[in-house]
Each structure stands twice: as structure tokens, then as C-alpha cells.
Amino acid sequence: MARGINKVILIGNLGGDPETRYLPNGNAVTNLTLATSDSWRDKQTGQMQERTEWHRVTFFGKIAEIAGQYLRKGSKIYIEGRLQTREWEKDGVKRYTTEVIVDIGGTMQMLDSRGDNDGASRAPVSRPQSQPQQQPQSQPQQQQRPAPSVQHDAQPAPDYDSFDDDIPF
Amino acid sequence: MARGINKVILIGNLGGDPETRYLPNGNAVTNLTLATSDSWRDKQTGQMQERTEWHRVTFFGKIAEIAGQYLRKGSKIYIEGRLQTREWEKDGVKRYTTEVIVDIGGTMQMLDSRGDNDGASRAPVSRPQSQPQQQPQSQPQQQQRPAPSVQHDAQPAPDYDSFDDDIPF
Amino acid sequence: MARGINKVILIGNLGGDPETRYLPNGNAVTNLTLATSDSWRDKQTGQMQERTEWHRVTFFGKIAEIAGQYLRKGSKIYIEGRLQTREWEKDGVKRYTTEVIVDIGGTMQMLDSRGDNDGASRAPVSRPQSQPQQQPQSQPQQQQRPAPSVQHDAQPAPDYDSFDDDIPF
Amino acid sequence: MARGINKVILIGNLGGDPETRYLPNGNAVTNLTLATSDSWRDKQTGQMQERTEWHRVTFFGKIAEIAGQYLRKGSKIYIEGRLQTREWEKDGVKRYTTEVIVDIGGTMQMLDSRGDNDGASRAPVSRPQSQPQQQPQSQPQQQQRPAPSVQHDAQPAPDYDSFDDDIPF
DNA sequence: TTTT
DNA sequence: TTTT
């Protein structure tokens, strides 16, 4: 249940490869930065101006695994998520970081045509404990075809804090 | 022109009265904080949980004047804006603040029924320079009825019918 | 999985009481019409113009039950759904009706303050078969407090056609 | 001014080339159909199901010209518009057609990578009256580079920094 | 700091 | 009628 609406819709390109980690409970968390840019003609100088906005995006759960596996630096994606501001401390000073959370209830969709970004998905990051650590990197990829879209749902707040012993991004 | 989409949609309540200031060029800027909250039943304990998210919202231009004049602490509003992160420095340390910008291209709409929040709009903050500072507070308000909605862009209804002598599609 | 995005966001008022029916499988379907209106000043005449748009909204599943129970004529709601066009036939002529579908993956939120619309939820429409038809109207309502918001999720296409032996709306 | 919100967001592919016409007042109108599709696994049969939804989209004004010139059958686009239902009559029978209107206040953005769809924009449809009819089709195209994005509203970056001599919030 |  |  929600009192209010908190919705973010972005289309942009990844500033770098996504980074996937796993929570103690086995759930995946994927971080990436997304660029959206505006350009306009300056009224005074007549020059074209451009401003790029960088967004910190965090995926949770199944969608985090897919994001980590199929997205690469430069990938263009559509996401639908919600704003969340975390408080953290450094040198005794409180700081705040605002992220776009994409979990159950959010959406991600790849917008690159036919397997761009060299067409290859990456080997999934092995989960701690639940998978043997000598897992071969060269294992055959079971997913040959791109999985460009994920829509999942719901509410349960992901157990994020317990994971966040270091500062993401 | 935009490369990418950067859109935020919020429905929430103001945490305090909005604050309006004026730029040197006479344009208004209004700041406020907006609360959106989620509640859900914890799977483990069965207890209801609630989390409130606070959003910093900045209005520019005409919509900033309206926000400053008609909104109050507790007002429920719908806004549509874009994410923007500012960098600032304190004690030689860089910090970042993410805000939701509502300007031309954005939208604000009051959702309180019929002039709630004691029904009174507030006297507009006088602009520096451009208005005499002895402006009487008791001047008759020209806006008696709530102006619950502002949409910086669109409205003019296209003259579609006059064109439609045959059925498109 | 989706190829593409199909999203509708509306805030408006109900044109009449919602109508709830039950599918053979027991799932609820609630229909209502929602008005959104625009007004603008005509450039030529200087007169204010207004245009009201009426939207046909169909809820499925749990959210349909809540909509049927808590919404009334005049209720102001926020909905998030998707566009869907149905084909039907009358007198041998094909016709099309476009609706906004709100099911798993969509959202509804009541925007009336504190139990407006006389504050009373209505007795739920009895389900065919699954509940005795002499169900008393005066049964104690188990939901005393308004449930103004529902957010649910997912994909499975509702079995709509099998129900649609007459034309809704 | 709007009482209510009426917003549609679509990402899909054009089912055919767009068709542009000009109103008597010289304004462009462009029609196209856009496909969005969903697929899911049927719970009962385990088979993959797919449903394609076709949307009628109408652009007005400057954005209509750009849509007519740069889009082609198969183009993938993002649009933001509003729902509008028109009434029309055929053989004495009233019918209704629901369209997504994209005009001032709406947005269109091409999502194909770098000038796909054979990379060529089409010669603009000549306007009636306002342009000489012997206008050569073979005139050199002034737009060589794709214009993938149009946003009818927003851009001018507010002069925020010059104001920000103290830290808001 | 809001709201129900 | 699109796309993967």
C-alpha cells in the first residue's frame, strides 16, 4: 500500500558496466549510472548548450541479475523505478545519496537494437556460498538470446541496509 | 532537444510551507519538501511497516509563484518534473544534492479538495526592486478561487475537426 | 516480458458509481468512467474554453474489488494502467472500444481526503455461485477503514473475453 | 490549466510509414500506428503467449512535421501524449475512435540507433497554398543529421547557480 | 517535516 | 501493420 506516488522514468545510456553483488540472503543488487542529456540553444549567445544528468540506479532481485548480465557500458535502457535517498556517514559527517530504485514494481527494458554492445551477455557473477567458487568462467551460457525486458512487481522492502557496509558508487 | 528521458512523477504532502525567492532577473524560485510513503506487511514479523521518502522539489518561473502562493504545509500535490543533482561545497568537501525540478515542461496540480488548508492563498512575496517594499499586506487578493493546477506547456486545443473531412486510419 | 511500453496515468473523477461483476473463475471486474478536463483561454475570442475527456477504465482482480467497494460517483482517483482496444460487433458491424486496463502491474489510489463521498464503503457485490445469493446486505463490514491505495503487479493476461458476452459501458 | 492528469507513455514500433497532412491554417498533422506487445507464459498450457496492442497516434504542429519527416515503418519511438476520443458518424451510426495526441506538452523521441531505417529522412510533404506547388522533390535536404528528439515544452536551463549563494534546504 |  |  502506498500513500502517494513515487515514480521515476528514465531513458538513457550506461556510463559504465553495471556492478552486481549479492546480499547475504542471495538476492542480487546491481548498481549502474545512467546519463540523460538535454541540449538547447542559449537565448543570449545563440550557442547550443548541453547538460548531462547522471543518475544512480540500483536494481534488486531478479531484475538485478538480468541488468548485470545483459547491460554494458553504453547500453541504452528504459527504466521505471522510484526515488530513494540514503543517509551515510564519512569522517563523522552525514551525507545523502539519492538513487533510483528498480525492484519489484519497477521495469527495465533494453532499447538497443538486436544485441548491440557486441552482442554478448556476460557470465553471471557467482553467488557467495550458494555456488561453488571454482565456477568456470568459460561455462556455456544458457541464455543465448537477449532478454531485453523485465517487469516485475510488488512491495516488500529489500533488505538493503544490511548489505551496505561500504558505499556504493 | 533531449537525448533521453528524465521524468519524475510524485504525489505527496508538503512537509512545510514552501519558500519562494526571486532571482536577480526577477524569476521566482520556490523550494519545498514532499513526502511520499509506502507501507507493507513484513513477511517475517507480520507487522505493518512504513517508510516515508522525502523529496526536495524546486519550482522555477510562473509555476514557482503559484506554488509559493497556493501551497501550504500539508498540501497534497501532484507534480511532474525532472531529476537534477547539484554539486556544492562545505568546509572544502564536495557534496551532492538531488532535487526534482519543476519548470517549463513540468506540471503541478493541487489535489486538496476545494481550497483546503484554510482556504486562503497567501500574499505573494514581494519581488526585490521591481515592487515597492511598502506594498500593503492588506491589498485585495485578486485570486479568490484556488488555482489548483498549472501546466507549463500545452493547452491550445488543436483545430482537428475542421481537418477531419475523412476518417483517418 | 514486454516489447515496448504501454502506460497510462490518469487523475480524474468518476462519472458514476463503479460496476463490479465476477468472472466464472471468481475474479472481479470493475468498470467505471473517469473524467479529465482541460481548460484554456481561446487566443482569438479571449473566452475560457473547457474540454472534458471521458475514459473507460476496467479493473481486474483484487484491485477491482477494492475499486468497486470504495469508489463512488465523483471520487477522485489516480490510476496507472495500460491501453487496450477491444473489437466487438453490433448489427454485423465491427466496432472498437479503447479502455484503460488496471490489473496486476497497475495502480489505483484514492485522492479524496478522509473518506469523502459520504465516507461509506459499499457492500461488496456478491459473487455468483461462490456465495449464497441471500447474502444479507446488512452484514457487518469487515473493512472499516478506507483502503485508498492498491499497487499490484505482474503480467498474466486476464481472461476477459470469456466474460464479455455483453458489451460493457 | 488542467483539472486532472491525462498522460500516455508508449514505446513501440511503427506499423507503417507516417502520414502527414496540413490543416488550412498551415499546421501539420501526422498520423501513425504504434505497436506495443506483451508476451507471457500461460499458466495452464506453459506455452508462450503474445499480444500486440495497436495505438493510433496523432501529432500536431512542429512535432508532426518532424514525425512525418524522420519516422518510417518499423521505427522505434518513445512518445508522451494524452488520450482523446473522437466521435464520428458512418451510415448514420455514431462511432468512437480513441487516439493518443502528441502536441505541445507532449514528447517524441526516436530510439533507433544512429539513423536506422536506411538513414534517410524523407522529403517533407509540401504545404498547400503556402508553398509553390512546382517545388522540386529533388531539392537538397537541408536536414542531413537525424533529429531524433522533440520536446515541445521545456528546455531553457534556469539560471539557478547564480542564485545559489547559500545552500537551500 | 507531511499525510491517513 | 511493427519489433525480437
Side-chain angles (χ1 to χ4, degrees), chain A residues 12-68:
Chain A
N13 297 283
L14 273 68
D17 287 347
E19 294 178 13
T20 300
R21 297 189 267 182
Y22 285 89
L23 301 175
N25 63 11
N27 286 340
V29 180
T30 296
N31 291 315
L32 55 85
T33 55
L34 200 63
T36 60
S37 55
D38 278 273
S39 60
W40 68 95
R41 189 168 299 282
D42 186 277
K43 282 182 226 164
Q44 311 228 341
T45 68
Q47 302 287 328
M48 285 304 290
Q49 306 288 132
E50 179 154 353
R51 179 191 168 103
T52 295
E53 196 66 38
W54 287 98
H55 309 274
R56 299 183 170 192
V57 184
T58 301
F59 297 85
F60 287 95
K62 178 84 181 128
I63 206 173
E65 299 183 20
I66 291 163

Side-chain angles (χ1 to χ4, degrees), chain A residues 19 21-25 27-32 56-61 64 82 84-88 97-103 156-169, chain B residues 40 51:
Chain A
E19 294 178 13
R21 297 189 267 182
Y22 285 89
L23 301 175
N25 63 11
N27 286 340
V29 180
T30 296
N31 291 315
L32 55 85
R56 299 183 170 192
V57 184
T58 301
F59 297 85
F60 287 95
R82 60 178 213 272
Q84 192 169 286
T85 299
R86 286 183 298 111
E87 184 185 316
W88 49 285
T97 296
T98 300
E99 296 162 300
V100 179
I101 305 296
V102 183
D103 59 6
D159 184 12
Y160 185 77
D161 288 349
S162 69
F163 165 65
D164 200 10
D165 37 17
D166 57 345
I167 291 96
F169 295 102
Chain B
W40 68 96
R51 179 189 168 105

Side-chain angles (χ1 to χ4, degrees), chain D residues 24 34 42 79 96 98-99 101 104 113 116 121 131 150 168-169:
Chain D
L34 199 63
D42 187 277
I79 64 164
Y96 298 88
T98 300
E99 295 162 300
I101 305 296
I104 305 198
S113 14
D116 270 11
S121 73
Q131 290 191 213
V150 170
F169 294 104

Side-chain angles (χ1 to χ4, degrees), chain B residues 4-25:
Chain B
I5 295 294
N6 177 355
K7 181 166 287 290
V8 179
I9 290 172
L10 301 176
I11 294 179
N13 298 282
L14 273 69
D17 287 347
E19 294 178 13
T20 301
R21 296 189 267 184
Y22 285 89
L23 302 175
N25 64 11

Side-chain angles (χ1 to χ4, degrees), chain A residues 1-5 7 9 78 80 105 107 109 148-149 151-155, chain C residues 1-5 7 9 78 80 104 107 109 148-149 151-155:
Chain A
M1 186 166 88
R3 298 213 144 268
I5 296 293
K7 181 165 286 291
I9 290 173
Y78 168 95
E80 205 179 309
T107 304
Q109 202 159 124
S149 158
Q151 192 157 353
H152 61 181
D153 339 79
Q155 301 88 352
Chain C
M1 186 166 86
R3 299 214 143 269
I5 294 294
K7 180 167 287 290
I9 290 172
Y78 168 95
E80 206 179 307
I104 304 200
T107 303
Q109 202 159 126
S149 160
Q151 193 157 351
H152 61 183
D153 338 79
Q155 302 88 353

Side-chain angles (χ1 to χ4, degrees), chain A residues 70-85:
Chain A
Y70 291 100
L71 303 183
R72 307 290 297 258
K73 178 177 177 174
S75 295
K76 172 176 268 182
I77 58 172
Y78 168 95
I79 63 163
E80 205 179 309
R82 60 178 213 272
L83 281 175
Q84 192 169 286
T85 299

Side-chain angles (χ1 to χ4, degrees), chain B residues 78-117:
Chain B
Y78 168 96
I79 64 163
E80 204 180 310
R82 58 178 214 273
L83 280 176
Q84 192 169 285
T85 299
R86 287 183 298 110
E87 183 184 316
W88 50 285
E89 212 173 300
K90 190 186 174 186
D91 304 332
V93 186
K94 276 187 184 173
R95 315 257 200 126
Y96 298 88
T97 296
T98 299
E99 295 162 302
V100 178
I101 305 296
V102 182
D103 58 7
I104 305 200
T107 303
M108 188 273 287
Q109 201 159 126
M110 287 186 66
L111 298 175
D112 297 304
S113 15
R114 304 136 259 178
D116 270 13
N117 298 314

